[in-house]
Amino acid sequence: MAKMLPSYIDLYCKSSAEKKLFNIFKNSYFTKDWIVLHSLNLSQHISRQYGEIDFLILVPNSGIYIMEVKGGKVSCKDGVWTFTDRTNNSNTSYVGPFNQARDAMFSLRNRLKQILGNDHEFNRIITGFICAFPDINFDRESVEYESWQILDKDLIDSNGIESFFYNLGVNYKEKHQNERWYSIDFSIPSFQKLEKLSELLRGDFEKIRTSKEEINDFNKAVKNYTEEQFRVLDHIQDNERCLIQGSAGTGKTMIAMESAIRSCIDGKRVLL
């Protein structure tokens, strides 16, 4: 089982294709050392204001892979891609899924360089992008992508995902091993290195209020309640009947007692 971040899929996720892949990553034996981030937001993107990575897959002894998922029917005509879901809703894009995945990859790499600096070892890890088509067999060849970058229904149904990722690691290694930044010590990541990276990307944290902050907030609340309580007492004096609502601790009992005291002072008969 992979370490999924988060450990469950969002109930509001509308993509059945993403749900299918999420469960495969979570429950397969060959993913036991993987770390998979679902729906990773990109606050900075090379071509848009914001971006999102459907799945960021961290595979020990292999690399980091950005996966773009397209469910349902897929077509491309005159350079325009059309994606049609199971309810027959369609949307079009001049940017194909492979370019989407590539742009997300470079956006992530650029952001890591901004945070860590250009010379950090994380920047030397092999990084690649892939496209997943869980609902169709995608056998269309093109100069715009490699066949080993495609995970389709045929591979999924034939239990070929493990071999797909093995071949993916081999091909990306061959593609990058002659690059100046490539190093056998830094570019092939260990589980420990990927775990540190995942903590940076989507780590746990807890921020608590200091005692001073809690006291200041309490004093502000008391002041606000006191001012509101005086207004309520004025309303009670000016009106024959009043219905006062408030959550626990807002001073309803105190207002009732003060109102009773004032009424007694005025010579009225009081039942509290």
Side-chain angles (χ1 to χ4, degrees):
M1 293 175 61
K3 179 180 180 181
M4 306 297 295
L5 300 174
S7 58
Y8 57 89
I9 194 161
D10 192 337
L11 292 175
Y12 295 101
C13 177
K14 297 179 180 180
S15 172
S16 59
E18 290 183 27
K19 292 177 182 178
K20 182 176 185 178
L21 287 167
F22 187 98
N23 290 325
I24 290 173
F25 292 140
K26 183 175 182 177
N27 299 316
S28 297
Y29 72 92
F30 60 85
T31 65
K32 62 184 178 66
D33 294 326
W34 296 14
I35 302 173
V36 180
L37 285 70
H38 177 236
S39 188
L40 180 68
N41 291 321
L42 296 171
S43 61
Q44 296 183 20
H45 195 274
I46 62 173
S47 60
R48 302 193 299 272
Q49 277 193 320
Y50 302 99
E52 180 191 17
I53 296 174
D54 291 335
F55 286 99
L56 181 64
I57 307 166
L58 314 182
V59 184
N61 302 313
S62 182
I64 303 169
Y65 303 111
I66 286 81
M67 175 183 279
E68 179 71 22
V69 181
K70 295 299 181 186
K73 176 184 173 183
V74 179
S75 63
C76 184
K77 184 176 181 180
D78 297 331
V80 179
W81 290 76
T82 301
F83 309 102
T84 306
D85 64 19
R86 64 183 185 279
T87 59
N88 215 34
N89 292 318
S90 297
N91 64 83
T92 60
S93 174
Y94 290 93
V95 181
F98 295 93
N99 286 350
Q100 283 181 272
R102 182 202 61 193
D103 290 350
M105 178 188 73
F106 285 121
S107 298
L108 176 63
R109 289 176 61 176
N110 290 346
R111 188 69 176 119
L112 288 175
K113 288 179 181 178
Q114 289 179 1
I115 296 172
L116 301 171
N118 291 329
D119 297 328
H120 198 281
E121 62 176 326
F122 285 170
N123 297 322
R124 302 174 70 178
I125 297 176
I126 288 178
T127 307
F129 63 92
I130 53 181
C131 287
F133 306 95
D135 299 327
I136 60 171
N137 296 326
F138 195 98
D139 56 359
R140 176 74 178 182
E141 294 187 359
S142 172
V143 297
E144 294 189 286
Y145 47 80
E146 301 285 354
S147 60
W148 46 264
Q149 291 177 294
I150 300 168
L151 177 63
D152 65 0
K153 184 178 186 298
D154 186 47
L155 275 170
I156 294 172
D157 291 347
S158 62
N159 296 318
I161 298 182
E162 182 178 10
S163 59
F164 168 81
F165 275 96
Y166 174 80
N167 291 330
L168 187 72
V170 171
N171 281 290
Y172 266 115
K173 180 181 177 181
E174 291 180 357
K175 188 177 183 68
H176 293 301
Q177 63 185 355
N178 294 322
E179 298 286 344
R180 187 172 57 182
W181 53 264
Y182 179 87
S183 165
I184 192 67
D185 296 323
F186 297 107
S187 300
I188 307 297
S190 63
F191 173 79
Q192 290 75 17
K193 187 179 292 186
L194 293 177
E195 194 170 40
K196 289 182 180 179
L197 178 59
S198 71
E199 290 173 2
L200 172 67
L201 295 169
R202 187 174 274 171
D204 298 335
F205 68 90
E206 181 181 17
K207 299 293 183 181
I208 62 173
R209 294 191 300 164
T210 65
S211 298
K212 183 178 180 180
E213 289 170 337
E214 290 183 352
I215 292 172
N216 288 338
D217 290 344
F218 176 77
N219 290 335
K220 289 178 182 177
V222 168
K223 181 180 178 182
N224 291 335
Y225 286 145
T226 302
E227 292 175 352
E228 187 174 0
Q229 288 160 3
F230 278 122
R231 287 197 297 272
V232 171
L233 286 168
D234 292 339
H235 284 306
I236 293 174
Q237 283 187 302
D238 296 338
N239 294 277
E240 199 170 306
R241 294 180 181 85
C242 288
L243 175 63
I244 311 302
Q245 291 180 307
S247 58
T250 55
K252 297 185 298 296
T253 303
M254 188 178 70
I255 289 173
M257 293 177 65
E258 177 64 24
S259 180
I261 292 171
R262 291 186 182 189
S263 295
C264 286
I265 292 172
D266 291 340
K268 298 178 180 177
R269 298 176 65 190
V270 177
L271 172 64
L272 176 61

